[in-house]
Amino acid sequence: MHSTHTSEGDDASPPASGLWGWLNRRTGVDDLLRSALDEPIPGGARFAYVFGSGLLFIFISQVITGIFLALYYVPSADHAHTTVAYITKAVTGGSFLRSLHAYAASAMVVVLFLHLSQTYIYGSYKGRRELLWLSGCVLFGLVLAMAFTGYLLPWDQRAYFATAVGTNAASEIPWIGESLKRLMRGGTEMGTLTISRFFVAHVFFVPACIFALVAAHIFLFRKAGAAGPVSEDPYHPKQKVELFYPRQVLMDLSLTALLIIGLGLFCFFVPMQLGPPANPADAQYVPRPEWYYLPIFQWLKYWHGSAAIVGVLVIPTLLVLAILAVPFLDRNIERRPWKRPAAMGGYAFVVFMLLGLGLRSQYLDRHDPGVAQQLAKQNAEEEEYAHKPFEPELSSASLVAANVTLADPLAAKGKTIFEAQSCNACHGDGGVGTAAAPGLIGIGKKFSADQLAELFKHPTAKMKAGGMPPVDLPPDDLRALIAYVESLK
């Protein structure tokens, strides 16, 4: 008995000591690591298998950067843009952090598309991997939903109008479209309820679904195992097997390093811009979505009236169902791409259609003089706003209270004129500003009385575009109005 015990003890590894040993005895972390690192890879380690790890890295980085951004963000129409401007212009490293979160969203779409493409081209959905393919497709939809819900949160011009187009497109869906639009917006118009709902979806609901799907995807992958080279029979792989560690780990880390360097360079040299605050009254603004939504944006332009049900509902639904049904329709064990002309032809058709629609949208924008001019103007306004210093936002209550009692009779008269002319309808009570027009607090320090009089009588083109009419008042009333505006502090 004693000799048997000694023999078994010689074969087993000695138990770890210290903190790691204490943790391992209670959690079995060594077994978990061994299970992960000793995963068999049919055919050996390959760079074609790195996309899954890259996606996991990007998702974790999105969670971390999102938490830090949420420390400052206020999801309301009154404060959303100001808090994002504070992050971008005042917080140390805030512009880099926000750019990293935004660029990583695009990177996640790209890497996930490459991962699904590699899976399809290699026929890795075959061999009892139907659920693995379905979970990957659903994850792709969730990533797009994550990008869509996060795009509105800065509440600048670009985000507001692009999301307005997106929610309006949802209303084209027959029977449920209008209800879906009201559900997303929290009403008929976009405002604080819209931001609140998008924020909840972006921070809580969609990430929770992604966490659940990632866990299910990893479990299903470990259950089915790696598909191996394209020449393998997915049910009976025969080629050599290599463990996940060390070569595949190093290959995965190489993609992670490339992502870190690429995203870091983008964030440093081309930081994500924040445009002027959303102005729903700007009827001239030309909305454009992010690049990965451009094909859908262009596609929707071709369907109007009674034909909309075909382009908005029937064709997209059939396409999605066909993609989901791929492992059920293609039951042949052949995985080599050159031996699957129908499958490769379908893939090429879809990819070229998406590329064509996206390029067509950009081509039309560049060759339409009116649209090109307006887009250039919008970009110039974003550049101008991006280089302005951050302006702190004071509470409306304190601003109004500071202007309730006016010692100067002329300014008191000007306040009456300000309200009688309905200036407060756009500029807010006490000139605090609204979504329709900027605040007037402190404008007396920027312009002299004569300059204000000239601006009132002859508004600039930008002021006219925002809905500012020329002020036609008797000289005494104009002086009173200017005195009131100068008193706003």
Side-chain angles (χ1 to χ4, degrees):
M1 294 290 292
H2 177 73
S3 61
T4 304
H5 176 75
T6 304
S7 172
E8 291 174 355
D10 291 341
D11 293 338
S13 2
S17 58
L19 178 61
W20 183 261
W22 179 88
L23 184 65
N24 180 51
R25 287 190 293 273
R26 284 155 179 80
T27 63
V29 64
D30 274 352
D31 293 333
L32 291 174
L33 286 175
R34 191 175 297 110
S35 174
L37 297 178
D38 291 348
E39 175 191 348
I41 304 175
R46 295 169 184 265
F47 279 106
Y49 303 153
V50 301
F51 297 118
S53 298
L55 283 169
L56 188 60
F57 163 74
I58 297 175
F59 179 63
I60 292 173
S61 73
Q62 287 293 81
V63 172
I64 295 172
T65 55
I67 289 173
F68 282 103
L69 291 173
L71 293 176
Y72 297 94
Y73 185 72
V74 178
S76 74
D78 295 333
H79 307 296
H81 185 271
T82 303
T83 52
V84 176
Y86 178 73
I87 293 170
T88 306
K89 299 183 178 184
V91 175
T92 303
S95 177
F96 186 91
L97 183 70
R98 177 174 174 262
S99 299
L100 181 59
H101 193 74
Y103 283 132
S106 292
M108 197 168 186
V109 174
V110 172
V111 176
L112 185 50
F113 177 78
L114 292 175
H115 185 46
L116 284 174
S117 296
Q118 178 258 328
T119 302
Y120 183 86
I121 293 172
Y122 280 28
S124 300
Y125 53 82
K126 301 185 179 187
R128 304 184 184 94
R129 291 179 175 83
E130 299 92 345
L131 293 178
L132 190 61
W133 171 261
L134 290 174
S135 63
C137 292
V138 175
L139 272 173
F140 188 74
L142 288 173
V143 168
L144 290 177
M146 193 78 168
F148 179 69
T149 53
Y151 196 69
L152 172 70
L153 300 184
W155 199 245
D156 60 358
Q157 288 280 76
R158 182 189 295 267
Y160 176 89
F161 284 101
T163 307
V165 171
T167 52
N168 282 330
S171 67
E172 297 292 333
I173 300 175
W175 306 300
I176 63 169
E178 283 298 327
S179 299
L180 183 60
K181 174 183 172 181
R182 286 195 298 271
L183 177 65
M184 290 191 291
R185 291 187 172 188
T188 56
E189 303 298 329
M190 291 173 54
T192 294
L193 277 179
T194 316
I195 296 181
S196 177
R197 294 187 178 197
F198 273 61
F199 180 77
V200 169
H202 186 72
V203 174
F204 298 106
F205 180 71
V206 179
C209 293
I210 290 179
F211 271 115
L213 260 294
V214 167
H217 194 72
I218 294 174
F219 169 79
L220 292 168
F221 177 77
R222 300 306 300 271
K223 182 72 174 176
V230 294
S231 58
E232 288 274 350
D233 179 342
Y235 295 94
H236 304 94
K238 296 177 182 178
Q239 292 198 23
K240 69 171 185 175
V241 173
E242 184 179 356
L243 298 183
F244 184 75
Y245 178 84
R247 291 186 65 229
Q248 191 62 52
V249 170
L250 293 176
M251 291 179 181
D252 288 0
L253 288 177
S254 66
L255 175 62
T256 301
L258 185 63
L259 287 170
I260 292 173
I261 295 171
L263 290 173
L265 291 175
F266 262 103
C267 297
F268 186 80
F269 291 106
V270 193
M272 182 63 63
Q273 287 190 348
L274 176 69
N279 177 15
D282 188 354
Q284 295 182 332
Y285 194 89
V286 176
R288 287 297 179 267
E290 274 291 274
W291 63 270
Y292 41 81
Y293 278 118
L294 270 181
I296 301 174
F297 174 77
Q298 183 64 26
W299 171 262
L300 295 176
K301 291 182 181 179
Y302 299 126
W303 305 93
H304 305 284
S306 58
I309 188 173
V310 178
V312 178
L313 181 64
V314 176
I315 295 178
T317 301
L318 291 176
L319 178 61
V320 170
L321 290 177
I323 293 173
L324 293 175
V326 160
F328 303 97
L329 298 175
D330 185 5
R331 307 300 295 180
N332 194 308
I333 64 171
E334 178 61 66
R335 294 175 52 208
R336 291 170 292 185
W338 55 91
K339 294 289 187 178
R340 297 155 52 217
M344 291 301 98
Y347 172 81
F349 175 77
V350 172
V351 171
F352 282 122
M353 280 292 293
L354 292 174
L355 286 174
L357 288 169
L359 293 174
R360 177 66 176 169
S361 177
Q362 293 183 329
Y363 175 84
L364 292 176
D365 285 346
R366 287 195 300 267
H367 290 79
D368 185 324
V371 172
Q373 183 179 3
Q374 179 62 26
L375 290 175
K377 176 186 173 185
Q378 292 168 191
N379 291 332
E381 290 175 351
E382 287 185 3
E383 289 276 356
E384 180 185 358
Y385 181 83
H387 290 90
K388 286 183 178 180
F390 173 70
E391 296 181 2
E393 178 186 83
L394 301 177
S395 67
S396 299
S398 62
L399 290 170
V400 174
N403 294 296
V404 168
T405 304
L406 297 173
D408 183 3
L410 188 63
K413 177 183 177 183
K415 180 182 179 182
T416 304
I417 297 172
F418 183 84
E419 294 171 351
Q421 294 289 319
S422 299
C423 300
N424 57 338
C426 292
H427 292 285
D429 293 332
V432 298
T434 66
L440 301 176
I441 307 300
I443 196 172
K445 296 181 180 179
K446 300 179 181 179
F447 301 99
S448 65
D450 290 340
Q451 289 174 324
L452 288 173
E454 182 64 22
L455 284 173
F456 288 160
K457 293 178 181 177
H458 307 288
T460 64
K462 184 176 180 180
M463 294 166 66
K464 290 179 181 178
M468 173 74 177
V471 176
D472 185 14
L473 292 172
D476 291 344
D477 289 349
L478 183 60
R479 282 195 297 271
L481 180 61
I482 293 172
Y484 171 65
V485 171
E486 289 179 325
S487 73
L488 298 177
K489 302 175 182 177

